[in-house]
């Protein structure tokens, strides 16, 4: 953040502008974060008053509320945990998410949609995929834990590193050339980088997903003959990612009900997701089962 680079003669207005963070205020304000942080400020104020420190409590109240107003939150990393608290609380989700955020609504206006995977329409359920992969020796099971076989895992990471250095153009071409079921691809960039599938650009695959799935698809080709399983398996590989294949940032677990992810209807359970905080793209969605 720009705290170190703040100008020396600080005009109070400049200081306020430096503090303010548009990604969590205005239309982007996350109400779970705001409410939680104001609550924490309130607890601090009550605590200080109870200890007979009225001036300190006034200072905490003024500064706390101002920071939440300007930045959207006070406690670091609130956007990562507040949505989970809300999801776990009995308070209806629509109290916080009456309207979809600006970014989401702008994506929904056009007919294209973000796609989770190359395997979106392969039609194999997750359990079958994992069973087949483990029968082929690609995945190993230890107790309740799943692992990629060591040789597979290192081959996959090596290939991802190579693909990560490619331009978006060349990645898009490689994807089209490798997968028989993909007949048209085109690079597409807005505030993030994607490969669009189909000449109508109806599906957008995030760049890190393309890198991870294309690398996995190629590695699986040496072990599997079944094309559908290769594609579905490539999707399953992403659950084993701990870093972003494009920028190397550590992935953070988030919830799809959060200000940083997508919004679901009020009656749906939020899915847990793996998100790259740098690319601001979703790398994997762990579906919450209904049983
Ligand atoms: Zn990244």
């Amino acid at each position: 953040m720009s705290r170190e680079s703040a100008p020396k003669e600080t005009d109070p207005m400049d200081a306020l502008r430096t503090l303010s963070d548009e990604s969590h205020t205005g239309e982007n304000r996350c109400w779970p974060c705001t409410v939680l942080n104001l609550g924490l400020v309130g607890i601090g104020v009550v605590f200080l008053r109870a200890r007979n420190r009225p001036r300190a409590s006034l200072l905490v109240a003024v500064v706390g509320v101002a920071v939440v107003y300007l930045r959207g939150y006070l406690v670091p990393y609130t956007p990562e945990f507040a949505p989970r608290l809300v999801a776990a609380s009995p308070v209806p989700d629509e109290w916080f998410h009456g309207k979809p955020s600006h970014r989401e609504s702008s994506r929904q206006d056009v007919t294209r949609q973000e796609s989770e995977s190359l395997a979106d329409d392969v039609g194999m359920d997750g359990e079958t995929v994992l069973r087949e992969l483990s029968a082929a020796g690609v995945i190993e099971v230890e107790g309740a834990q799943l692992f990629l076989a060591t040789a597979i895992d290192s081959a996959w990471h090596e290939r991802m590193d190579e693909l990560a250095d490619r331009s978006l153009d060349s990645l898009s071409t490689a994807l089209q050339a490798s997968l028989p079921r993909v007949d048209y691809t085109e690079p597409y960039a807005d505030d993030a980088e994607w490969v669009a599938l189909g000449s109508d650009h109806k599906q957008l695959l995030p760049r890190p997903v393309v890198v991870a799935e294309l690398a996995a698809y190629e590695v699986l080709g040496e072990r599997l003959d079944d094309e559908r399983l290769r594609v579905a398996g490539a999707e399953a590989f992403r659950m084993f990612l701990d870093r972003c294949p494009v920028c190397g940032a550590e992935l953070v677990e988030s919830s799809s009900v959060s200000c940083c992810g997508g919004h679901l209807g009020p009656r749906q359970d939020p899915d847990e997701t793996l998100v790259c905080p740098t690319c601001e793209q979703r790398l994997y969605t762990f579906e919450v089962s209904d049983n």
Side-chain angles (χ1 to χ4, degrees), residues 233-245:
E235 175 186 20
F237 268 42
R238 283 189 282 120
M239 77 172 76
F240 299 106
L241 285 171
D242 46 14
R243 292 183 171 276
C244 173

Side-chain angles (χ1 to χ4, degrees), residues 208 244-249 251 276-281 283:
C244 173
V246 167
C247 70
L251 301 183
C276 171
T278 314
C279 301
E280 294 190 353
Q281 282 179 320
L283 270 293

Side-chain angles (χ1 to χ4, degrees), residues 52-81:
N52 211 11
R53 302 192 40 199
R55 286 178 69 186
S57 84
L58 184 66
L59 185 71
V60 166
V62 170
V63 172
V65 171
V67 171
V68 174
Y69 173 75
L70 285 168
R71 295 190 57 78
Y73 59 93
L74 172 69
V75 180
Y77 304 111
T78 307
E80 276 147 45
F81 67 79

Side-chain angles (χ1 to χ4, degrees), residues 52-283:
N52 211 11
R53 302 192 40 199
R55 286 178 69 186
S57 84
L58 184 66
L59 185 71
V60 166
V62 170
V63 172
V65 171
V67 171
V68 174
Y69 173 75
L70 285 168
R71 295 190 57 78
Y73 59 93
L74 172 69
V75 180
Y77 304 111
T78 307
E80 276 147 45
F81 67 79
R84 289 194 210 195
L85 289 182
V86 169
S89 79
V91 178
D93 182 40
E94 64 263 44
W95 287 13
F96 295 110
H97 292 94
K99 285 185 281 180
S101 81
H102 185 64
R103 180 174 161 157
E104 278 167 296
S105 55
S106 66
R107 279 256 163 75
Q108 278 159 3
D109 288 343
V110 287
T111 48
R112 67 175 68 95
Q113 54 176 332
E114 291 177 34
S115 179
E116 279 282 289
S117 168
L118 287 168
D120 269 1
D121 50 354
V122 162
M124 282 181 96
D125 70 281
E127 218 171 294
T128 312
V129 173
L130 293 179
R131 201 176 46 235
E132 297 279 325
L133 290 180
S134 96
V138 171
I139 284 181
E140 288 166 1
V141 186
E142 238 181 76
Q145 285 261 46
L146 297 174
F147 300 93
L148 285 178
T150 318
I152 299 272
D153 191 51
S154 46
W156 179 42
H157 277 90
E158 224 166 86
R159 188 66 189 132
M160 281 195 291
D161 288 346
E162 287 163 20
L163 290 175
D165 292 337
R166 300 261 198 108
S167 68
L168 193 60
D169 267 318
S170 127
L171 208 53
S172 162
T173 313
L175 188 66
Q176 187 178 335
S178 305
L179 277 94
R181 58 199 308 283
V182 173
D183 51 15
Y184 184 88
T185 61
E186 204 174 280
Y188 178 85
D190 48 15
D191 45 353
E193 292 185 309
W194 316 81
V195 171
L197 306 183
S199 50
D200 48 5
H201 287 195
K202 269 210 172 129
Q203 278 189 305
L204 294 177
L205 278 184
R207 180 178 187 160
V209 168
V210 174
V211 169
E213 292 203 359
L214 186 54
Y217 177 82
E218 290 177 2
V219 168
L220 283 173
E222 294 156 19
R223 304 259 180 153
L224 304 171
D225 297 325
D226 183 343
E227 173 70 16
R228 276 173 75 217
L229 183 58
R230 245 178 111 181
V231 176
E235 175 186 20
F237 268 42
R238 283 189 282 120
M239 77 172 76
F240 299 106
L241 285 171
D242 46 14
R243 292 183 171 276
C244 173
V246 167
C247 70
E250 209 163 310
L251 301 183
V252 293
E253 283 183 36
S254 187
S255 153
S256 51
V257 76
S258 78
C259 47
C260 331
H263 170 58
L264 298 165
R267 303 211 170 271
Q268 283 170 283
D269 277 329
D271 290 329
E272 291 295 304
T273 57
L274 283 178
V275 176
C276 171
T278 314
C279 301
E280 294 190 353
Q281 282 179 320
R282 205 179 331 166
L283 270 293

